[in-house]
Amino acid sequence: MRTMDEWLASEETGAPFSHCLCCKVPLVEIDAPWLVNKEIVREECVLEYAICQPCRDAVTDRLSEESKEIVRSFLEHKIDWGERMKEFMLAHDLTDRFAACIACRTPREGLNGFGISALFDSGGSLVTGALPLLICESCIAKMTASLSEPCRAVWRKFLAENFAGPPNDSGFPGFL
Ligand SMILES: [Zn+2]
Ligand SMILES: [Zn+2]
């Protein structure tokens, strides 16, 4: 079984993420929290990055209030936070959070694809609250189905600016 450190390390290097994807500054030198996001499809990591809070805010600032409200409303209403938090508290291991989708509760083994998100504080300690979490691709698709084209364009631009290869606008785990 994978440890939380293994889950949150870069698949590419096998080491913890060290730099912000966007500003390229070493994460430990940034006086702000950072997020680690990964997207895994059929056991293969197709997207992974760490992004510092200021850079993440710079991306989400370009989204309309309406789009942010769509995502917020999904997270609020389609996830039973009371139940999830109770489970998280009783869990023996933090990695139990990655056993199933936080929204539809489908076990990870039955998923074609999913995203994971984790938050680190400015000192590099994992923050345990609503994150870390795992959300499946069909829930991400439901969450993002009604997002506007300008919002999708922001995400595509973010991917194009930061990653080589064909743009993939299937997932928005970075919003979490
Ligand atoms: Zn940054
Ligand atoms: Zn799901």
Side-chain angles (χ1 to χ4, degrees):
M1 219 182 78
R2 290 183 123 195
T3 64
M4 191 48 107
D5 286 346
E6 285 165 346
W7 269 111
L8 300 180
S10 160
E11 306 278 339
E12 204 178 318
T13 66
F17 288 92
S18 54
H19 293 68
C20 172
L21 172 73
C22 301
C23 64
K24 318 286 185 210
V25 174
L27 292 163
V28 293
E29 291 176 16
I30 303 172
D31 189 21
W34 69 85
L35 275 172
V36 165
N37 287 316
K38 285 190 186 181
E39 224 180 300
I40 292 146
V41 179
R42 279 176 238 103
E43 320 243 307
E44 198 194 328
C45 184
V46 294
L47 186 71
E48 63 166 20
Y49 58 91
I51 185 169
C52 74
Q53 193 77 56
C55 288
R56 175 180 177 252
D57 290 347
V59 177
T60 55
D61 280 352
R62 309 211 307 261
L63 303 173
S64 67
E65 272 313 310
E66 191 193 352
S67 295
K68 283 189 259 191
E69 186 50 42
I70 289 170
V71 173
R72 264 199 300 265
S73 158
F74 179 94
L75 295 175
E76 210 173 294
H77 300 297
K78 302 294 178 195
I79 297 174
D80 187 342
W81 286 108
E83 270 309 300
R84 297 294 81 76
M85 283 312 185
K86 228 183 286 170
E87 280 171 18
F88 288 170
M89 238 124 61
L90 293 171
H92 294 293
D93 196 289
L94 261 183
T95 58
D96 289 357
R97 288 169 172 237
F98 295 155
C101 171
I102 188 148
C104 68
R105 309 307 292 148
T106 306
R108 192 181 71 241
E109 286 73 26
L111 297 174
N112 179 61
F114 57 85
I116 60 170
S117 271
L119 178 69
F120 289 84
D121 68 19
S122 56
S125 299
L126 185 65
V127 178
T128 54
L131 305 184
L133 63 70
L134 178 149
I135 185 163
C136 79
E137 64 178 9
S138 69
C139 285
I140 293 172
K142 274 180 219 152
M143 175 168 75
T144 57
S146 43
L147 291 177
S148 63
E149 181 46 39
C151 173
R152 287 167 198 283
V154 169
W155 178 247
R156 277 198 302 270
K157 184 160 179 277
F158 168 76
L159 293 179
E161 278 171 1
N162 293 292
F163 296 96
N168 153 22
D169 68 346
S170 61
F172 286 70
F175 286 14
L176 296 172

